[in-house]
Amino acid sequence: MSRLLRPASRLVSSSAARPVNVRSAFQSFPRVPAIVQSRGYAKESGVKEYTVRDALNEALAEELELNPKVFVLGEEVAQYNGAYKVTKGLLDRFGDKRVIDSPITESGFAGLTVGAALAGLHPVCEFMTFNFAMQAIDQIINSAAKTHYMSGGIQPCNITFRGPNGFASGVAAQHSQDYSAWYGSIPGLKVVTPWSAEDAKGLLKAAIRDPNPVCVLENELLYGQTFPMSEAAQKDDFVLPFGKAKIERAGKDLTIVTLSRCVGQSLVAAENIKKKYGVECEVINLRSIKPLDVESIVKSVKKTHRLLCVESGFPAFGVGSEILALTMEYAFDYLDGPAQRITGAEVPTPYAQKLEEMSFPNEPLIEAYIAKMLRL
Amino acid sequence: MRGATVKSIVGELLGRREGIAYGKGGSMHMFTKGFYGGNGIVGAQVPVGAGLAFAHQYLGKKNASVVLYGDGASNQGQVFEAFNMAKLWNLPVMFGCENNKYGMGTAANRSSALTDYYKRGQYIPGLKVNGMDVLAVKAAVKYARDYTTNGHGPLVLEYVTYRYGGHSMSDPGTTYRTREEIQRMRSTQDPIAGLKHKLLEWNVTTEEELKQIDKDARSDVDKEVAEAEQMAPPEPTPKNLFEDIYVRGSEPQFMRGRTPDENYYY
Ligand SMILES: Cc1ncc(C[n+]2csc(CCOP(=O)(O)OP(=O)(O)O)c2C)c(N)n1
Ligand SMILES: [Mg+2]
């Protein structure tokens, strides 16, 4: 009986598919096997390797340096150098007026930093992880996101909420959850989801400078990952615009829309798919989910005629649902098959490792699903 | 203490199917009869614990709830919200602040405007207890249990203690305090050494007997740990993954997997 509810995806592989144009010898664009393949400047001089942690640290240091109204407040951000060492060295450099250890009181310090923003400062409010921001979500949404509108434009709130979000390993349900869809749904908030070191630096700096409340949803497992950082991105004027996605890998056979940690996973899957089948996936790193770059998605679908969204939140009412709905609204005519999504499983994150692995997207799953979608 | 075995707890830490929470909860989430879990959200357990007391009172049971939280957690707003309700409704709850001097890397005096945590209930009587003295803790808890279950309402107990180790695996525990401080605590305040000293002084037992108890405890725990290590992790099956999200028999028709192919139908 419940089989009646089998979703349309079964139809994907059987739907009248535009034959995939498998080309192996005459590809029209260059490919480097590394997952950061589309970074053409990776070999340029002046490029340095940065971890995402270093990039965030540099962004904070530069903004603290440039603007005395900026301060950093959160649990363990100062003396302990940050629970994940993102704020390392900032206390020593900027002193305890600018880099402040808070008691464990998320609702309280989120509210306090919102108040400071209303009064004209530019706080960076760090949550040790966004799991704990649930204690403070009322302040983020009701006090920060809505105030400008409710005041008829009189009262801005320039605040940045940041911290690790999403999958973290071996910490079970209360410490491993992706909140992208939660914040992404709120008018008045801007929400960014960096993947690479450049994303991290450019988006965090833009968040601090943006006159609105911005959530910067980082990922703990990315902090230690290393990426090339261009010379331009190493400068203190480097910012990335919100609402502009980045094509991390060009392709013509399938559009993969993804964010945060899933960008790296999708790039690996895309590379494997190319090796095995000579098929080219285009991987779009959303970078910002509010605003969301619908234009880039539609443009890519016009080219590839197929779309897969890869994200790690709960499936219901999520980022994937939104991408698929937008694709229906704006790109339906260009699709050759139903747009699809890979998401986190609909389950509180289990502790046991093998079960945890079944709860979040990974490279083999993405690869297998692409192969199925494209009937490879 | 609540009847769970060492094996089941270590098994949970190892993510085993026979762990106390079947490998689902891990180190922060353990449950057994009369034990309502660790909560991974600092402070959230306090009003929940007051709710247990509410139920005891509602059901006319002569039980009290023991609610434990740290010096760091004591600053969460909901702790004060729980205090107010507990006093207002005279709930049989023993709020217990384990003041081990640090919340992660933050010393108590850097997080708390008042470090006399037993005074923080304002209108709730408080008791400061030497948390490094087993017998003092036992006497205090017994007193508090009698007090709270006899209709006098809540109490706030501060157990003054110390954390030798770091906060977690990634914290060596030595960047925000001196090694001397830890050493001094160990040599002058250690609760096991202290109890041992008293038992000998009072001629309750002999050095040999204590050594034997110590040895037995070690071999008991070693045995249970070895058994826990032998336990199997949960089979990575959809059934194991999706079971118990809802009470059995009351589940929705299906839960979505990472892809629709992985949907699980109950
Ligand atoms: C709401 C929330 N904020 C932050 C954390 C991260 N965290 C876990 S334990 C801890 C320190 C708690 O200190 P304390 O209450 O003194 O307890 P102790 O570990 O010393 O027993 C912090 C900040 C969390 N789990 N939940
Ligand atoms: Mg503590």
Side-chain angles (χ1 to χ4, degrees):
Chain A
M1 161 220 39
S2 55
R3 302 291 180 256
L4 291 176
L5 286 170
R6 281 290 186 206
S9 76
R10 257 186 335 135
L11 307 174
V12 177
S13 50
S14 58
S15 66
R18 178 180 298 243
V20 172
N21 200 0
V22 181
R23 302 190 307 171
S24 51
F26 304 104
Q27 285 115 353
S28 56
F29 35 85
R31 266 170 230 95
V32 183
I35 57 164
V36 284
Q37 164 271 341
S38 71
R39 294 167 178 275
Y41 46 69
K43 292 195 193 73
E44 283 168 21
S45 63
V47 172
K48 277 197 195 141
E49 298 277 294
Y50 271 60
T51 61
V52 169
R53 178 183 287 113
D54 295 339
L56 292 165
N57 184 271
E58 188 167 285
L60 290 169
E62 286 173 4
E63 294 308 297
L64 282 162
E65 188 69 55
L66 289 168
N67 188 344
K69 289 185 172 171
V70 175
F71 67 96
V72 176
L73 189 148
E75 290 160 21
E76 308 289 354
V77 297
Q79 282 194 16
Y80 196 71
N81 282 316
Y84 299 97
K85 307 300 169 209
V86 169
T87 52
K88 190 170 181 183
L90 297 183
L91 172 67
D92 285 349
R93 188 162 156 200
F94 297 100
D96 59 7
K97 181 178 173 184
R98 312 282 306 282
V99 184
I100 304 160
D101 276 328
S102 157
I104 309 170
T105 166
E106 283 82 6
S107 174
F109 73 72
L112 185 141
T113 47
V114 168
L118 297 180
L121 298 183
H122 301 174
V124 177
C125 171
E126 172 176 315
F127 293 110
M128 195 175 281
T129 79
F130 264 93
N131 301 286
F132 314 142
M134 268 214 274
Q135 298 280 314
I137 198 165
D138 176 69
Q139 295 290 3
I140 299 172
I141 293 171
N142 275 324
S143 305
K146 296 177 182 174
T147 295
H148 190 256
Y149 187 80
M150 293 189 302
S151 69
I154 294 170
Q155 179 59 69
C157 183
N158 179 343
I159 187 168
T160 303
F161 302 105
R162 56 155 291 271
N165 168 63
F167 175 66
S169 62
V171 286
Q174 291 181 341
H175 279 62
S176 181
Q177 186 172 331
D178 184 340
Y179 294 91
S180 307
W182 296 44
Y183 296 108
S185 72
I186 303 299
L189 273 186
K190 292 186 182 179
V191 184
V192 296
T193 52
W195 167 62
S196 67
E198 282 190 1
D199 290 357
K201 182 173 174 191
L203 293 170
L204 177 53
K205 283 169 71 75
I208 296 171
R209 294 180 187 192
D210 193 279
N212 301 286
V214 184
C215 288
V216 182
L217 305 177
E218 301 155 10
N219 184 282
E220 179 195 328
L221 297 175
L222 293 175
Y223 283 156
Q225 278 192 28
T226 304
F227 294 86
M229 184 89 114
S230 68
E231 224 174 330
Q234 292 168 39
K235 299 219 172 85
D236 70 1
D237 60 356
F238 177 70
V239 288
L240 285 173
F242 292 166
K244 281 270 168 285
K246 176 164 183 237
I247 297 176
E248 299 284 355
R249 185 188 199 284
K252 57 173 179 35
D253 299 319
L254 169 73
T255 298
I256 302 177
V257 176
T258 181
L259 66 164
S260 185
R261 184 168 168 262
C262 292
V263 174
Q265 298 176 320
S266 299
L267 286 169
V268 171
E271 204 55 39
N272 289 342
I273 285 282
K274 184 212 144 192
K275 277 200 201 109
K276 282 191 191 155
Y277 308 104
V279 162
E280 295 294 354
C281 298
E282 180 145 301
V283 177
I284 298 183
N285 170 6
L286 283 174
R287 280 186 163 168
S288 139
I289 56 166
K290 196 172 198 78
L292 190 83
D293 189 355
V294 185
E295 207 180 312
S296 287
I297 297 171
V298 174
K299 224 168 118 188
S300 178
V301 172
K302 276 188 184 168
K303 181 167 67 166
T304 65
H305 309 287
R306 289 184 173 275
L307 180 134
L308 170 67
C309 177
V310 183
E311 57 121 342
S312 69
F314 292 135
F317 312 100
V319 171
S321 334
E322 180 63 19
I323 300 294
L324 265 53
L326 287 167
T327 306
M328 287 291 286
E329 286 172 346
Y330 296 102
F332 180 73
D333 289 344
Y334 310 110
L335 284 174
D336 279 351
Q340 295 289 302
R341 62 188 160 136
I342 299 176
T343 64
E346 205 167 24
V347 65
T349 308
Y351 176 73
Q353 193 182 345
K354 285 278 186 293
L355 294 179
E356 185 188 78
E357 282 167 14
M358 297 171 72
S359 311
F360 291 94
N362 55 29
E363 291 85 351
L365 179 87
I366 300 168
E367 204 184 308
Y369 205 66
I370 295 171
K372 181 181 172 177
M373 271 183 84
L374 299 181
R375 301 200 295 166
L376 299 172
Chain B
M1 187 173 84
R2 295 268 129 186
T5 59
V6 172
K7 181 167 68 180
S8 70
I9 289 168
V10 175
E12 189 59 35
L13 295 178
L14 296 172
R16 302 296 204 249
R17 181 67 173 170
E18 298 310 318
I20 194 166
Y22 302 95
K24 296 284 176 60
S27 63
M28 289 181 281
H29 314 291
M30 300 191 185
F31 300 82
T32 190
K33 193 170 175 347
F35 185 79
Y36 293 84
N39 196 313
I41 304 304
V42 165
Q45 74 277 28
V46 180
V48 172
L52 300 175
F54 180 91
H56 295 145
Q57 189 189 61
Y58 186 93
L59 296 169
K61 287 188 184 166
K62 226 179 163 185
N63 290 11
S65 63
V66 175
V67 183
L68 295 168
Y69 55 96
D71 48 289
S74 73
N75 299 306
Q76 285 284 31
Q78 47 185 327
V79 173
F80 298 93
E81 297 178 30
F83 286 172
N84 182 49
M85 290 184 287
K87 183 65 183 174
L88 201 57
W89 299 324
N90 216 37
L91 302 180
V93 49
M94 299 149 65
F95 295 109
C97 178
E98 287 176 273
N99 175 11
N100 61 3
K101 310 286 166 62
Y102 295 91
M104 221 171 231
T106 304
N109 67 335
R110 293 205 306 120
S111 75
S112 304
L114 177 71
T115 53
D116 289 330
Y117 295 97
Y118 68 100
K119 290 183 184 165
R120 283 200 157 196
Q122 296 177 59
Y123 35 74
I124 301 177
L127 212 57
K128 185 171 177 170
V129 185
N130 180 359
M132 300 300 253
D133 180 342
V134 182
L135 300 176
V137 171
K138 183 167 189 294
V141 173
K142 184 175 184 320
Y143 172 84
R145 186 191 184 281
D146 292 344
Y147 180 93
T148 51
T149 51
N150 278 306
H152 301 301
L155 275 182
V156 175
L157 297 105
E158 174 186 350
Y159 304 100
V160 184
T161 176
Y162 193 76
R163 156 156 69 75
Y164 294 149
H167 170 78
S168 65
M169 309 281 277
S170 60
D171 171 23
T174 48
T175 55
Y176 44 85
R177 55 183 182 177
T178 61
R179 283 176 202 279
E180 289 70 51
E181 177 184 306
I182 306 169
Q183 207 40 53
R184 183 162 25 84
M185 279 297 187
R186 255 192 212 285
S187 56
T188 63
Q189 307 269 317
D190 186 77
I192 296 177
L195 181 67
K196 198 168 140 183
H197 186 75
K198 276 187 190 140
L199 291 177
L200 290 174
E201 200 178 280
W202 297 336
N203 283 322
V204 178
T205 181
T206 62
E207 189 93 46
E208 289 71 55
E209 207 179 339
L210 285 175
K211 277 210 180 100
Q212 192 56 43
I213 292 172
D214 204 48
K215 235 174 108 185
D216 291 348
R218 274 173 204 280
S219 68
D220 277 357
V221 171
D222 284 349
K223 184 170 146 282
E224 298 247 335
V225 169
E227 283 176 27
E229 281 169 346
Q230 292 309 311
M231 299 192 299
E235 284 291 313
T237 60
K239 183 172 179 303
N240 283 343
L241 178 63
F242 289 103
E243 80 192 342
D244 297 327
I245 301 174
Y246 297 94
V247 172
R248 290 186 192 187
S250 71
E251 300 99 337
Q253 272 187 327
F254 75 99
M255 299 304 277
R256 194 186 195 274
R258 295 173 297 180
T259 66
D261 305 343
E262 292 187 348
N263 285 3
Y264 181 73
Y265 291 83
Y266 288 101

